[in-house]
Amino acid sequence: MTSGQASAAVETVQESAVRLRSVAFAYPGGPPVLEIDALELRQGERVFLHGPSGSGKTTLLSLISGVLQPKTGSVEVLGQELATLSASARDSLRGSRMGYIFQGFNLIPYLSAEENILLPCQLHPLRRQRIFAPSLSAEAARLAHRLDIHAHLHSPVTQLSVGQQQRVAIARAVIGRPELLIADEPTSSLDTDRRDAFLDLLLEVTGEAGATLLFVSHDRSLATHFDRTLSLPELNRASHAQAAA
């Protein structure tokens, strides 16, 4: 390999936020759920991944976030080969360098909106070090103003509307500028107007943070909002085998 080729190879590694190679996964006693030859997301990319229910979307996200480990193959996230990390190291990587928006938002019901937003920074020092504002409370206020929920910062999240709760979930996911943001079907229960408003805000704040975004949904009409679209049924050889059976 020439020095120029070596430099290009290093540059490719640096520009990759997520890289899967020859990954296979099956739950104990069951058939293969995922068999993916190759999947790569570049740093700063906003990617839409679609697939019907049961196609393995949540399993794939669990592999990328280090909650599950593949039976075979390589999962590299933010320059880290997850198989080489201990469970605690994977937890630290997930909490410090990734943001996650869940389908049901997963807000802590007995905490205020501000406390929910600040939770990643309270748990992970790296997130605290990467805030924009001079203090955590000022950063929560900055994000709340940006997302138009500043009047509700000190309200329990159980008193907020669905639209307000989803904005709290966005703020919690992006605070501390995580390098990878994963959104798992966050618009599935929203009407069209709320869905479009949610997407606009999510894409704006993700761009401000310079994060890579992996947005997963079964709703293919959302694909036009993103840089690139991936079909999990096409990527996943296990789904081909299931269809043939």
Side-chain angles (χ1 to χ4, degrees):
M1 180 182 291
T2 67
S3 59
Q5 289 172 326
S7 298
V10 170
E11 183 178 356
T12 299
V13 171
Q14 291 174 335
E15 291 181 351
S16 174
V18 175
R19 179 181 292 170
L20 277 66
R21 291 290 183 270
S22 303
V23 166
F25 179 85
Y27 291 99
V33 176
L34 285 177
E35 291 181 341
I36 296 177
D37 292 328
L39 170 62
E40 185 164 2
L41 309 182
R42 296 181 294 275
Q43 290 182 7
E45 209 177 10
R46 300 183 295 188
V47 176
F48 179 78
L49 178 70
H50 67 85
S53 298
S55 62
K57 298 190 299 296
T58 298
T59 300
L60 175 60
L61 297 188
S62 296
L63 289 170
I64 292 173
S65 59
V67 174
L68 297 175
Q69 295 189 72
K71 181 179 179 181
T72 60
S74 168
V75 179
E76 182 183 300
V77 178
L78 301 174
Q80 298 287 319
E81 171 53 62
L82 298 188
T84 67
L85 302 180
S86 65
S88 61
R90 293 195 303 273
D91 290 344
S92 179
L93 177 68
R94 182 168 55 251
S96 297
R97 302 179 64 189
M98 302 183 204
Y100 211 110
I101 302 176
F102 299 89
Q103 183 173 352
F105 307 139
N106 281 21
L107 301 177
I108 308 300
Y110 53 84
L111 297 181
S112 68
E114 180 184 53
E115 289 168 334
N116 268 280
I117 292 169
L118 292 178
L119 196 58
C121 290
Q122 301 287 6
L123 296 174
H124 302 284
L126 182 60
R127 297 281 281 264
R128 291 199 297 272
Q129 295 167 13
R130 290 165 52 168
I131 62 174
F132 286 102
S135 68
L136 289 179
S137 59
E139 180 69 354
R142 184 190 72 82
L143 286 168
H145 275 278
R146 179 70 186 79
L147 295 167
D148 196 25
I149 51 172
H150 53 281
H152 306 284
L153 266 179
H154 302 294
S155 301
V157 290
T158 52
Q159 295 180 7
L160 304 184
S161 69
V162 171
Q164 291 161 349
Q165 288 181 14
Q166 68 186 183
R167 294 176 184 220
V168 172
I170 293 176
R172 183 181 63 181
V174 303
I175 195 169
R177 289 181 285 171
E179 296 147 84
L180 174 62
L181 187 63
I182 296 173
D184 183 8
E185 297 269 14
T187 61
S188 61
S189 62
L190 304 179
D191 60 35
T192 300
D193 289 341
R194 284 179 172 172
R195 181 198 68 189
D196 291 345
F198 177 92
L199 277 173
D200 288 342
L201 284 169
L202 177 61
L203 293 170
E204 285 178 19
V205 296
T206 302
E208 289 172 0
T212 303
L213 173 62
L214 177 58
F215 188 101
V216 176
S217 177
H218 66 278
D219 185 354
R220 298 179 64 173
S221 69
L222 306 179
T224 55
H225 295 268
F226 296 84
D227 300 328
R228 186 160 59 106
T229 298
L230 297 173
S231 167
L232 185 54
E234 292 179 7
L235 290 169
N236 184 13
R237 288 189 290 110
S239 65
H240 303 166
Q242 293 166 7

